[in-house]
Every structure is written in structure tokens, then in C-alpha cells.
Amino acid sequence: MFYRLLFASLWYILPAYIANASACVFGGGTPLDLGKNFVDGRRIIGDGVTYKGSVFGIVCGTLVGLIQGILVDSNVFNSLDFYGTVLDHVILAFFLSTGAIVGDAMGSFIKRRLNIERGKPAPLLDQLDFVIGALVFGYLVAPIPHEMIIIICLFTVFIHLLGNIIAYKLGIKDVWW
Amino acid sequence: MFYRLLFASLWYILPAYIANASACVFGGGTPLDLGKNFVDGRRIIGDGVTYKGSVFGIVCGTLVGLIQGILVDSNVFNSLDFYGTVLDHVILAFFLSTGAIVGDAMGSFIKRRLNIERGKPAPLLDQLDFVIGALVFGYLVAPIPHEMIIIICLFTVFIHLLGNIIAYKLGIKDVWW
């Protein structure tokens, strides 16, 4: 029962994960805030969130939704009983991906207002900004039970920390966070 | 229905709020980590979490639970249908308060590991560390529905932000966070 809920949670949020990762991998170029400053004299969002990354993120995340829809539609996962048609999946994935990008930008916006530089850690906010954005946007088209929201948040923080520690041990990252 | 859930959530977490506030007000003196450093050469927890504050926090939070128990027992809130006896309230409040102190210490431990100085902001972690600790400890003796967990977390971040902005506008704080 718990594993089914865990799988359903990760299946639901997967497009947001892919959108967030793709935005990072395919980032660079013009930043979303066009380099402009906010009223406090600091950057609105910063160089971390770009047009190229955002578009690639939303496209890749939505494509994952298309694949999910086809898999469910062809009964590969015949135990998954939610999110009817392929189009439903694509629409949901588009909302989740867009929410992930917006959430990430909001997180950077908050960090700039608190005068935390890009790359400096903001525990919980760094890991959860894109997930919170995705959950809010996703909730508009496909609301999920509250326990799935909690599972998604806890799993995201856990897997983020685990990934960073592994990258640190492998010498890919200089710091463990 | 929602307001009832909101009230039940705040009623539940109240001892943790009081414990956290009391620990801050009655802080000072010997820090919990005795000034010692961790293996990374930085302080284990820091000067922010003290023995005096922790004891006062747990005592004040538990006293609030006693008052809650008496109010419920005397049917002042006759619509509140959970947490039976006065002793049940006191035990729950002791767990919530202890969890709040432990959560706060854990939050400071994480900030020190990430090399974030005391007083420097760590959005979400700063607001939620004591609440997460209280929820974990409280769950051991009186589990609550998942939606109450979400309400408590959202409300805490919201009220924290609101309080800081008001303090900033009144000139009590130098920064709005």
C-alpha cells in the first residue's frame, strides 16, 4: 500500500523532475529577468533561470507526460487507475513542468531578496522551490491526496541530499550539499 | 469545515509555537553544544540553542498543554473532539515542545554544516525546523491527518513572514525577513 502510494507520487511528479533537470542541463543564454534589477537594487531573479532552459524544461517535461500517457493508455501500467487519456497526461505534464520552472524562478527571486547569492545554499528552499511550484500548478488540473504531497516533498529533499552526497564522494562536486 | 481544520491544526501545534518562542525569549547562557566544534571544524549547533532556552521552552510549551487540557476537560471547547484527558494533553505538549527544541537544534546543525552563519537567512528551514521536529515527535503520541500537517507548515511560513514584515514596518527589525 505504501509502495503503491510512493510509486503513484513519483509517477505524478516525474514531469516536474525532468523539467527541472532539463532546464539546468540546457540552461545558459538570456536570463528570464533580462539582467534587470528589482526595487532593492539586486537582480530580480538572476542568471540561473534562462529563456532557453525554461523552454527546454517545459518541452522535455511535457514530452515525459506524453510518454506516460502512452504507457498508461497501452496498459503497460494497468494497475495505475488515474489520469485517463493521453491528452490528460500531456496537459497535466505541461502544467507540472511550467509550475516547476515558475517555482524555481520564485525560489531564486526569494533568495535574491534575502541577499543570498546564486550557488549559496538555501536548505529546503533550494530543493523544494520547483516541486512546490509544480504541485500548485498540477493541483489546478489534477488534485492529488495530501499524503502524496507530503511524500513528494520528503522524497525530493531526501533524493536531492543523497544525489549530492554521492556526487561529492565521486569527486564531481566540491561540497556535499 | 476548512476553518475547523485550521483551528484544530493551530490548537494542536500551539505548544510547539510557545516552546519555540519561549526558548528564544529566555535564551542565553551555555549553548547546548558546549561551544564544541564538529568534525568539519565549525560549531556543532552554535550559540543560538542554549540549555536555559531549551528547558524554559519545554516547560512553557508543556504548561500550555496543561491549560489546553483543562479547557477541553471543562468543555470550554466542546466542539473539539480529540485528545481525551488532561494528562493526554500534557504528554502531547511535552512531546511537541521537546520536538520543537530538537528540530530547532537540527536546523542550526544543518546551517552550520552548510557554513551559513547564525542570523543569516535560510528560507523555509528557518521557519520550519522547529515545526518539523514537533510534528515528528507529536506524531509518536497523537498522529494527525496529513492535511493538518500541510496546513501547519503553510500557516507557519505565512505567519512568520507576516510577523517579520510587520516588525520591519514598525522599525523593530532592520530587514524584512
Side-chain angles (χ1 to χ4, degrees), chain B residues 18-87:
Chain B
I18 301 297
N20 189 52
S22 306
C24 180
V25 172
F26 302 108
T30 312
L32 214 58
D33 65 5
L34 299 169
K36 291 196 195 317
N37 289 343
F38 197 59
V39 290
D40 54 13
R42 293 188 295 271
R43 285 289 294 278
I44 302 177
I45 296 172
D47 288 327
V49 187
T50 65
Y51 282 95
K52 185 158 153 269
S54 300
V55 170
F56 268 91
I58 294 170
V59 168
C60 291
T62 306
L63 279 178
V64 167
L66 176 64
I67 297 168
Q68 285 180 315
I70 293 169
L71 287 175
V72 168
D73 198 53
S74 57
N75 276 315
V76 173
F77 294 115
N78 55 11
S79 67
L80 269 177
D81 45 12
F82 51 88
Y83 321 135
T85 70
V86 176
L87 184 63

XYZ file of all heavy atoms in Angstrom, chain B residues 18-87:
505
model
N 4.761 27.990 21.323
C 5.118 28.609 22.605
C 6.510 28.161 23.044
O 7.308 28.968 23.534
C 4.072 28.244 23.683
C 2.674 28.729 23.260
C 4.469 28.815 25.042
C 2.528 30.234 23.125
N 6.812 26.877 22.843
C 8.140 26.357 23.202
C 9.225 27.092 22.416
O 10.236 27.519 22.972
C 8.211 24.855 22.936
N 8.988 27.257 21.126
C 9.964 27.919 20.260
C 10.151 29.380 20.659
O 11.279 29.865 20.781
C 9.478 27.825 18.804
C 10.520 28.287 17.807
O 11.656 27.836 17.838
N 10.135 29.202 16.932
N 9.042 30.074 20.903
C 9.115 31.489 21.296
C 9.778 31.641 22.669
O 10.618 32.522 22.868
C 7.714 32.092 21.311
N 9.414 30.764 23.625
C 9.984 30.844 24.977
C 11.484 30.578 24.950
O 12.252 31.242 25.663
C 9.314 29.819 25.899
O 7.917 29.971 25.868
N 11.900 29.609 24.139
C 13.332 29.288 24.039
C 14.109 30.500 23.546
O 15.246 30.737 23.956
C 13.552 28.094 23.110
N 13.466 31.274 22.678
C 14.104 32.477 22.138
C 14.152 33.585 23.198
O 15.205 34.166 23.461
C 13.327 32.935 20.912
S 13.992 34.417 20.145
N 13.009 33.834 23.853
C 12.903 34.902 24.845
C 13.794 34.628 26.063
O 14.485 35.518 26.554
C 11.431 35.081 25.297
C 11.326 36.051 26.477
C 10.573 35.562 24.130
N 13.761 33.361 26.547
C 14.528 33.002 27.746
C 15.868 32.360 27.412
O 16.413 31.598 28.203
C 13.707 32.071 28.642
C 12.398 32.649 29.084
C 11.197 32.177 28.569
C 12.360 33.694 30.003
C 9.985 32.719 28.969
C 11.156 34.243 30.405
C 9.955 33.756 29.889
N 16.395 32.636 26.216
C 17.660 32.049 25.791
C 18.852 32.655 26.522
O 18.709 33.353 27.516
N 20.039 32.371 25.996
C 21.254 32.892 26.616
C 21.881 31.868 27.529
O 21.260 30.863 27.879
N 23.120 32.111 27.885
C 23.841 31.167 28.747
C 24.560 30.105 27.937
O 24.865 30.303 26.759
N 24.806 28.979 28.604
C 25.595 27.898 27.996
C 24.892 27.309 26.778
O 23.738 26.888 26.885
C 25.825 26.768 29.017
O 26.265 27.351 30.238
C 26.851 25.775 28.513
N 25.575 27.263 25.629
C 24.955 26.642 24.455
C 24.889 25.113 24.608
O 25.708 24.520 25.316
C 25.869 27.042 23.302
C 27.188 27.325 23.941
C 26.896 27.822 25.322
N 23.903 24.522 23.927
C 23.660 23.084 24.007
C 24.896 22.274 23.590
O 25.155 21.195 24.126
C 22.465 22.735 23.103
C 21.529 21.616 23.549
C 20.916 21.910 24.907
C 20.419 21.414 22.519
N 25.673 22.798 22.635
C 26.856 22.064 22.138
C 28.105 22.368 22.970
O 29.205 21.936 22.609
C 27.086 22.356 20.658
C 27.434 23.821 20.386
O 27.583 24.595 21.355
O 27.560 24.183 19.204
N 27.936 23.108 24.077
C 29.028 23.464 24.995
C 30.167 24.197 24.287
O 31.314 24.157 24.725
C 29.572 22.205 25.692
C 28.564 21.430 26.563
C 29.151 20.084 26.968
C 28.191 22.241 27.800
N 29.841 24.828 23.143
C 30.868 25.573 22.399
C 31.784 24.703 21.574
O 32.769 25.181 20.997
N 31.497 23.410 21.502
C 32.392 22.481 20.800
C 32.180 22.504 19.282
O 31.103 22.820 18.793
C 32.168 21.046 21.307
C 32.639 20.829 22.753
C 32.758 19.346 23.036
C 32.862 19.037 24.526
N 33.757 19.910 25.300
N 33.232 22.111 18.555
C 33.171 22.045 17.101
C 32.882 20.632 16.599
O 33.175 19.645 17.278
C 34.485 22.529 16.482
C 34.656 24.035 16.633
O 33.681 24.746 16.906
N 35.868 24.506 16.465
N 32.330 20.550 15.389
C 32.059 19.287 14.710
C 33.329 18.873 13.952
O 34.330 19.575 13.974
C 30.878 19.521 13.736
C 30.208 18.272 13.249
C 29.626 17.365 14.126
C 30.141 17.999 11.881
C 29.002 16.220 13.658
C 29.515 16.858 11.405
C 28.953 15.972 12.301
N 33.286 17.709 13.286
C 34.469 17.228 12.556
C 34.919 18.186 11.453
O 36.083 18.162 11.033
C 34.223 15.818 11.936
C 34.158 14.770 13.025
C 32.974 15.794 11.066
N 33.999 19.041 10.964
C 34.377 19.988 9.901
C 35.008 21.267 10.455
O 35.276 22.208 9.703
C 33.158 20.325 9.020
C 31.968 20.830 9.825
O 32.158 21.154 11.018
O 30.855 20.891 9.271
N 35.219 21.301 11.774
C 35.889 22.455 12.370
C 34.958 23.610 12.689
O 35.378 24.623 13.232
N 33.683 23.483 12.309
C 32.731 24.522 12.665
C 31.888 24.050 13.844
O 31.828 22.860 14.150
C 31.835 24.868 11.461
C 32.605 25.538 10.337
C 31.683 26.045 9.252
N 30.996 24.968 8.562
C 31.454 24.332 7.489
N 32.631 24.680 6.974
N 30.773 23.366 6.926
N 31.222 25.009 14.508
C 30.401 24.681 15.673
C 29.377 23.583 15.375
O 28.834 23.506 14.279
C 29.671 25.946 16.154
C 30.581 26.916 16.892
C 30.979 26.390 18.259
N 29.832 26.310 19.129
C 29.350 27.354 19.794
N 29.930 28.539 19.697
N 28.297 27.199 20.563
N 29.121 22.714 16.360
C 28.132 21.651 16.165
C 26.761 22.277 15.916
O 26.116 21.991 14.902
C 28.059 20.720 17.399
C 29.434 20.089 17.701
C 27.027 19.612 17.154
C 29.455 19.224 18.955
N 26.315 23.142 16.826
C 24.992 23.770 16.705
C 25.117 25.296 16.695
O 24.505 25.970 15.891
C 24.060 23.325 17.867
C 23.793 21.808 17.787
C 22.744 24.096 17.814
C 23.040 21.251 18.987
N 25.930 25.824 17.586
C 26.102 27.273 17.664
C 25.540 27.846 18.949
O 24.968 27.122 19.770
N 25.678 29.180 19.096
C 25.261 29.835 20.333
C 23.754 30.065 20.428
O 23.257 30.494 21.473
C 25.978 31.191 20.479
C 27.454 31.003 20.801
O 27.776 30.019 21.500
O 28.264 31.829 20.349
N 23.033 29.785 19.340
C 21.595 30.096 19.310
C 20.732 29.159 20.138
O 19.627 29.519 20.539
N 21.219 27.936 20.382
C 20.416 26.967 21.142
C 21.107 26.698 22.475
O 22.212 26.158 22.513
C 20.228 25.648 20.348
C 19.253 24.736 21.067
C 19.735 25.940 18.933
N 20.437 27.092 23.564
C 21.051 27.028 24.892
C 20.275 26.089 25.820
O 19.116 25.752 25.561
C 21.071 28.427 25.539
O 19.722 28.836 25.772
C 21.771 29.439 24.647
N 20.937 25.708 26.932
C 20.283 24.856 27.937
C 19.104 25.582 28.571
O 18.020 25.024 28.704
C 21.289 24.434 29.012
C 22.185 23.322 28.539
C 23.432 23.587 27.993
C 21.763 21.993 28.598
C 24.237 22.572 27.513
C 22.552 20.966 28.127
C 23.791 21.254 27.592
O 24.572 20.256 27.116
N 19.354 26.858 28.952
C 18.309 27.648 29.601
C 17.094 27.787 28.685
O 15.956 27.535 29.099
C 18.886 29.033 29.953
C 17.967 29.930 30.749
C 18.787 31.003 31.483
C 17.980 32.255 31.741
N 18.101 33.261 30.659
N 17.334 28.160 27.436
C 16.240 28.322 26.489
C 15.484 27.024 26.262
O 14.252 27.006 26.208
N 16.231 25.917 26.149
C 15.594 24.626 25.892
C 14.695 24.206 27.048
O 13.560 23.766 26.841
C 16.661 23.551 25.648
O 17.450 23.897 24.523
N 15.207 24.350 28.282
C 14.419 23.971 29.463
C 13.176 24.853 29.581
O 12.058 24.346 29.741
C 15.278 24.061 30.751
C 14.404 23.910 31.994
C 16.378 22.995 30.728
N 13.357 26.178 29.443
C 12.219 27.088 29.516
C 11.216 26.797 28.408
O 10.000 26.829 28.630
C 12.675 28.558 29.430
C 12.924 29.175 30.769
C 14.191 29.130 31.347
C 11.887 29.799 31.454
C 14.427 29.696 32.580
C 12.117 30.371 32.699
C 13.393 30.319 33.263
N 11.721 26.507 27.219
C 10.851 26.213 26.087
C 9.985 24.995 26.348
O 8.763 25.030 26.146
N 10.616 23.927 26.827
C 9.869 22.686 27.077
C 8.874 22.877 28.219
O 7.725 22.422 28.139
C 10.844 21.513 27.349
C 11.648 21.199 26.084
C 10.091 20.283 27.826
C 12.810 20.240 26.275
N 9.303 23.593 29.285
C 8.407 23.826 30.424
C 7.207 24.686 29.999
O 6.044 24.338 30.264
C 9.167 24.503 31.594
C 8.202 25.004 32.660
C 10.171 23.520 32.204
N 7.452 25.792 29.308
C 6.362 26.692 28.890
C 5.416 25.984 27.921
O 4.193 26.094 28.031
C 6.925 27.953 28.236
S 7.778 29.029 29.382
N 5.978 25.252 26.950
C 5.149 24.534 25.987
C 4.268 23.496 26.669
O 3.090 23.345 26.342
N 4.848 22.790 27.649
C 4.097 21.749 28.358
C 2.992 22.369 29.211
O 1.891 21.821 29.329
C 5.050 20.907 29.219
O 6.113 20.413 28.387
C 4.328 19.712 29.835
N 3.294 23.548 29.808
C 2.272 24.272 30.593
C 1.085 24.668 29.715
O -0.067 24.597 30.152
C 2.881 25.524 31.231
C 3.680 25.296 32.520
C 4.275 26.623 33.005
C 2.781 24.681 33.595
N 1.375 25.075 28.472
C 0.295 25.415 27.540
C -0.582 24.175 27.310
O -1.813 24.282 27.257
C 0.868 25.931 26.201
C -0.213 25.993 25.124
C 1.482 27.312 26.411
N 0.059 23.005 27.202
C -0.700 21.764 27.043
C -1.601 21.492 28.242
O -2.722 21.014 28.086
N -1.095 21.824 29.432
C -1.902 21.662 30.657
C -3.150 22.553 30.583
O -4.270 22.100 30.856
C -1.053 22.023 31.885
C -1.760 22.002 33.244
C -2.218 20.593 33.592
C -0.847 22.550 34.346
N -2.951 23.812 30.185
C -4.081 24.741 30.053
C -5.059 24.238 28.988
O -6.280 24.238 29.192
C -3.571 26.162 29.700
C -2.705 26.709 30.834
C -4.735 27.102 29.409
C -1.927 27.963 30.487
N -4.524 23.782 27.863
C -5.382 23.236 26.802
C -6.216 22.078 27.331
O -7.419 21.982 27.073
C -4.525 22.741 25.630
C -3.953 23.849 24.748
C -3.132 23.280 23.610
O -2.313 22.377 23.795
N -3.335 23.803 22.415
N -5.547 21.189 28.086
C -6.232 20.021 28.627
C -7.355 20.413 29.576
O -8.455 19.845 29.527
N -7.080 21.415 30.430
C -8.097 21.877 31.387
C -9.280 22.498 30.640
O -10.444 22.244 30.963
C -7.472 22.889 32.387
C -6.458 22.172 33.287
C -8.553 23.567 33.218
C -5.592 23.101 34.119
N -8.982 23.295 29.597
C -10.045 23.924 28.804
C -10.929 22.877 28.132
O -12.153 22.989 28.135
C -9.443 24.858 27.748
C -8.845 26.169 28.262
C -8.184 26.938 27.119
C -9.921 27.028 28.917
N -10.281 21.873 27.546
C -11.047 20.819 26.869
C -11.834 20.008 27.896
O -13.016 19.695 27.702
C -10.113 19.904 26.055
C -10.845 18.645 25.599
C -9.558 20.643 24.850
N -11.160 19.694 29.028
C -11.783 18.880 30.084
C -13.002 19.583 30.681
O -13.981 18.939 31.064
C -10.740 18.606 31.179
C -11.144 17.450 32.067
O -11.435 16.368 31.517
O -11.185 17.627 33.292
N -12.930 20.925 30.751
C -14.048 21.685 31.315
C -15.042 22.120 30.234
O -15.885 22.969 30.459
C -13.518 22.902 32.063
O -12.743 23.696 31.187
N -14.881 21.534 29.037
C -15.833 21.759 27.940
C -15.940 23.195 27.463
O -16.974 23.614 26.954
C -17.230 21.255 28.338
C -17.359 19.774 28.072
O -16.958 19.308 27.008
N -17.878 19.048 29.038
N -14.860 23.974 27.643
C -14.858 25.326 27.078
C -14.941 25.229 25.557
O -15.667 25.964 24.888
C -13.593 26.106 27.510
C -13.519 27.444 26.788
C -13.596 26.314 29.011
N -14.187 24.268 25.013
C -14.278 23.996 23.578
C -15.008 22.663 23.405
O -14.378 21.643 23.162
C -12.890 23.906 22.950
C -12.154 25.210 22.988
C -11.000 25.341 23.733
C -12.610 26.302 22.253
C -10.314 26.541 23.757
C -11.925 27.503 22.282
C -10.775 27.625 23.034
N -16.292 22.656 23.522
C -16.984 21.377 23.467
C -17.111 20.807 22.049
O -17.577 19.710 21.854
C -18.363 21.450 24.153
C -19.212 22.555 23.564
O -18.871 23.120 22.532
N -20.321 22.844 24.225
N -16.668 21.615 21.056
C -16.693 21.076 19.695
C -15.405 20.314 19.360
O -15.324 19.618 18.374
C -16.900 22.204 18.689
O -15.779 23.048 18.678
N -14.370 20.504 20.200
C -13.104 19.800 19.962
C -13.231 18.369 20.472
O -13.351 18.140 21.665
C -11.967 20.493 20.699
C -11.206 21.583 19.941
C -10.179 22.196 20.861
C -10.545 21.027 18.712
N -13.193 17.426 19.542
C -13.495 16.057 19.943
C -12.271 15.155 20.055
O -12.407 13.942 20.092
C -14.522 15.464 18.982
C -14.185 15.768 17.543
O -13.045 16.232 17.288
O -15.018 15.553 16.680
N -11.075 15.748 20.091
C -9.902 14.873 20.197
C -9.050 15.159 21.440
O -9.253 16.155 22.106
C -9.053 14.916 18.931
C -8.694 16.289 18.459
C -7.560 16.916 18.924
C -9.499 16.942 17.541
C -7.232 18.189 18.479
C -9.174 18.203 17.095
C -8.046 18.827 17.564
N -8.112 14.227 21.704
C -7.169 14.301 22.825
C -7.875 14.302 24.184
O -7.961 15.346 24.845
C -6.250 15.514 22.744
C -5.780 15.832 21.348
C -5.790 17.121 20.861
C -5.332 14.816 20.511
C -5.376 17.399 19.590
C -4.923 15.086 19.222
C -4.945 16.379 18.772
O -4.547 16.664 17.514
N -8.349 13.164 24.559
C -9.099 12.926 25.793
C -8.744 13.690 27.050
O -9.215 14.822 27.277
N -7.922 13.103 27.902
C -7.739 13.624 29.258
C -6.754 14.782 29.333
O -6.055 15.087 28.368
C -7.213 12.516 30.187
O -5.860 12.227 29.791
C -8.039 11.253 30.063
N -6.707 15.413 30.501
C -5.732 16.479 30.748
C -4.314 15.928 30.622
O -3.434 16.553 30.018
C -5.941 17.100 32.154
C -4.867 18.137 32.458
C -7.327 17.725 32.259
N -4.105 14.719 31.175
C -2.778 14.100 31.105
C -2.357 13.857 29.661
O -1.188 14.080 29.295
C -2.767 12.779 31.900
C -1.409 12.086 31.982
C -0.385 12.942 32.724
C -1.514 10.722 32.658
